[in-house]
Amino acid sequence: MKELLECLERDHTQTPEQLAIMLNKPVEEIAALIKKYQDEKVIVKYQTIIDWEKAGIDNVTAVIEVRITPQREVGFDAIAERIYRYSEVRSLYLMSGGYDLSVTVEGASLKEVADFVSTKLSTIDGVVSTTTHFMLKKYKFAGVIIKDEEEEHRLVVSP
Amino acid sequence: MNWADRIAPTVKAIPPSGIRRFFDIAAEMKGVISLGVGEPDFITPWHIRESCIHGLHRGYTSYTSNYGLLELREEITKSLHKDYQVTYDPRQEVLVTVGVSEGLDLAMRALLGPGDEVLVPEPCYVSYKSCVTLAGGTPITIPTSAENEFRITAEQLEKYVTPRTKILLIGYPNNPTGAIMSREDLEGIAAFALKHDLIVISDEIYAKLTYDGTHTCFSSLPGMRDRTIVLNGFSKAYAMTGWRIGYAVSNVEFIAAMTKIHQYTMLCTPITAQIAAIEALKSGEKNVEHMVSEYNYRRRLIFNGFRQMGLDCFEPKGAFYIFPSIKQTGLTSLEFAEQLLMAEKVALVPGDAFGESGEGFVRCSYATSTKNITEALERIGRFIKNIKK
Ligand SMILES: Cc1ncc(COP(=O)(O)O)c(C=O)c1O
């Protein structure tokens, strides 16, 4: 049910009871659906979006363009796996265009990220080249504006 | 000097809005959850705002034709045709107004002479009766009831029609009740209008916010196009209340008459709002869909909440209001609203602000977050339990 998934994607803390009312379905049905989606990994994971900068905890993020030589039989997948298994890698996408993989790496410092690229990433067999872009500021993430300065200006009561 | 004496009798005779009074108390308090707001909690979708900013960059800061930008009028007629298969000439049968508010005023002033009567089903939007009175007409109010889902029937209207009746003014989906009228319901009203040769003014500002069934545009009913003035706007569906833009469509004569007043009193609707409205009609459909589904979730949530509390409550089918009966508490609407505000800091609007037949009800707007709705329901539930003790 697309509506249920959309509701959960926006706010997974809503209870099955509340979702059942909102979607006009029996609560048992909603609970069963959620369980099914979790079991089938349609719902992959529930996560929290944190503004680390605001929390006063510094970290460094880089987006790295990686060019690789695809391998017989497995194409890009084998190399991709060797990259995404690293816990430093936050996201990994296969891209069309001028490079093959877009790797997002997070570390505590510039040095940590640089070390990762030079000693881990670029030494993997099949990696032809890397171009590292350090992220300067995060405006929007996962559909959420980080510092949203829009606010309500409505009157308390209006006709 | 008693300046109050100098005020025109028609203006003096109009009672101050029942909502205003309540607003003054609520606005002063801290920590209030408001279910009293008659406008979307969404901010105008970005692409619409951006189109206006872009327009300003390109120097669109002038007057427009009295009727409004032709491109906008064309988009309006296109969308009416697409949604309701009703056809209007964008050059002569559309007037862009400063909200439905202005459209309503213009329609009344264009049509009413002294003593002309206007049938106004109640509870209804707060401006209806005053607009009639200010235009020199006489509003004849017709009570509707929860038992009949706040709809009107021809049978009921028959009791109020006189030789002086000129206009029937309807507003569905309804503010404050959330009632809608199905196509069959409206067909009965159309036959009544034809029988008594009445003009129908149909305020369809909540048309797109219909959750149960589909909206029927009154002028799309057979024989009704020319005797109807349809008022609509951007405030609710596109979350554009502050832009102040709407439109009226009708036959050439009525639109010309309304435009005559508009050209001397308003000149035109702000060009900034007109540019934004073009964008809204051209590519706002997805945003509307998103907002409608969001309102629908909240509608079910709040309806369920009132049911659980044991309040008699009609299930609203449109707009973003719910109108539960509070008669069982033994309080009047105003007492209920005031005491609830003081005890639990929840603001809502007493039903009698929308006409006498709204007494015994309160209007709650669910144009607010589910979190607010849930919290407000909790507080209202507690308040009602304490009364019953
Ligand atoms: C039924 C109804 N008609 C008209 C209006 C006024 O709309 P506009 O902003 O287009 O003037 C409102 C606003 O609350 C309304 O509820």
Side-chain angles (χ1 to χ4, degrees), chain B residues 30-311:
Chain B
K30 285 231 155 56
V32 173
I33 295 184
S34 184
L35 302 182
V37 193
E39 63 178 317
D41 57 321
F42 297 101
I43 293 171
T44 309
W46 176 248
H47 67 99
I48 298 175
R49 286 186 270 162
E50 169 65 32
S51 71
C52 169
I53 296 168
H54 186 60
L56 285 170
H57 275 302
R58 282 178 304 159
Y60 283 98
T61 57
S62 62
Y63 292 134
T64 70
S65 142
N66 296 133
Y67 286 96
L69 295 169
L70 183 60
E71 188 184 358
L72 173 56
R73 286 180 277 142
E74 283 169 347
E75 287 302 327
I76 290 167
T77 54
K78 256 194 263 172
S79 86
L80 288 171
H81 189 261
K82 178 171 155 277
D83 293 344
Y84 312 115
Q85 295 77 53
V86 56
T87 310
Y88 290 97
D89 175 2
R91 292 184 181 272
Q92 301 184 79
E93 296 180 323
V94 184
L95 171 62
V96 177
T97 58
V98 179
V100 167
S101 301
E102 195 213 357
L104 193 63
D105 179 41
L106 293 177
M108 293 304 168
R109 285 202 274 165
L111 299 175
L112 292 176
D116 283 344
E117 291 174 0
V118 181
L119 300 179
V120 187
E122 271 190 347
C124 68
Y125 181 52
V126 294
S127 302
Y128 289 176
K129 279 193 289 179
S130 299
C131 275
V132 173
T133 313
L134 283 170
T138 307
I140 306 294
T141 60
I142 299 162
T144 61
S145 66
E147 290 69 46
N148 195 28
E149 303 190 336
F150 296 105
R151 290 170 304 177
I152 44 167
T153 61
E155 194 188 351
Q156 196 191 5
L157 294 175
E158 286 289 354
K159 295 186 206 142
Y160 297 86
V161 76
T162 75
R164 296 303 317 261
T165 309
K166 188 163 187 182
I167 296 173
L168 168 64
L169 170 56
I170 55 175
Y172 295 97
N174 184 263
N175 174 6
T177 63
I180 60 170
M181 294 268 283
S182 70
R183 190 174 181 92
E184 295 75 55
D185 292 337
L186 291 172
E187 276 166 357
I189 304 306
F192 167 83
L194 208 58
K195 178 179 165 197
H196 297 282
D197 194 19
L198 302 181
I199 299 158
V200 177
I201 298 179
S202 185
D203 173 357
E204 304 187 10
I205 193 163
Y206 293 102
K208 285 190 186 285
L209 310 188
T210 301
Y211 311 105
D212 214 354
T214 50
H215 177 78
T216 300
C217 177
F218 197 82
S219 67
S220 72
L221 297 172
M224 287 301 115
R225 199 199 89 113
D226 283 347
R227 63 172 65 244
T228 306
I229 299 178
V230 176
L231 304 175
N232 207 330
F234 298 83
S235 289
K236 315 291 172 164
Y238 297 94
M240 291 177 67
T241 47
W243 297 79
R244 310 308 307 127
I245 183 161
Y247 58 86
V249 288
S250 191
N251 66 59
V252 177
E253 299 300 334
F254 286 179
I255 291 300
M258 288 168 70
T259 306
K260 211 191 261 180
I261 306 171
H262 176 79
Q263 75 181 345
Y264 292 127
T265 55
M266 197 63 70
L267 218 165
C268 70
T269 302
I271 192 169
T272 43
Q274 294 192 51
I275 289 170
I278 292 172
E279 172 68 17
L281 287 175
K282 275 189 169 162
S283 36
E285 215 45 45
K286 253 185 118 159
N287 303 94
V288 175
E289 264 171 42
H290 166 72
M291 291 189 272
V292 169
S293 81
E294 201 53 38
Y295 291 136
N296 198 9
Y297 297 152
R298 301 166 183 184
R299 176 183 73 105
R300 290 169 179 156
L301 198 62
I302 200 165
F303 175 58
N304 186 274
F306 283 126
R307 274 271 171 93
Q308 300 269 318
M309 269 175 228
L311 285 188

Side-chain angles (χ1 to χ4, degrees), chain A residues 32-107:
Chain A
L33 262 177
I34 294 177
K35 182 166 180 323
K36 176 168 163 282
Y37 287 142
Q38 288 172 349
D39 291 348
E40 290 173 353
K41 296 274 181 198
V42 169
I43 293 174
V44 182
K45 200 172 191 301
Y46 298 111
Q47 274 197 326
T48 310
I49 294 172
I50 293 169
D51 184 347
W52 287 107
E53 194 186 320
K54 197 166 199 175
I57 296 163
D58 283 338
N59 57 19
V60 175
T61 306
V63 179
I64 303 149
E65 298 171 4
V66 181
R67 267 194 254 182
I68 57 179
T69 325
Q71 293 164 318
R72 209 181 173 82
E73 308 291 331
V74 289
F76 296 103
D77 295 353
I79 296 177
E81 181 173 0
R82 291 187 61 188
I83 296 175
Y84 66 61
R85 290 281 169 210
Y86 282 106
S87 60
E88 291 89 338
V89 174
R90 301 292 298 175
S91 69
L92 175 60
Y93 306 108
L94 178 63
M95 310 296 287
S96 69
Y99 58 99
D100 305 306
L101 298 174
S102 167
V103 189
T104 311
V105 174
E106 226 171 69

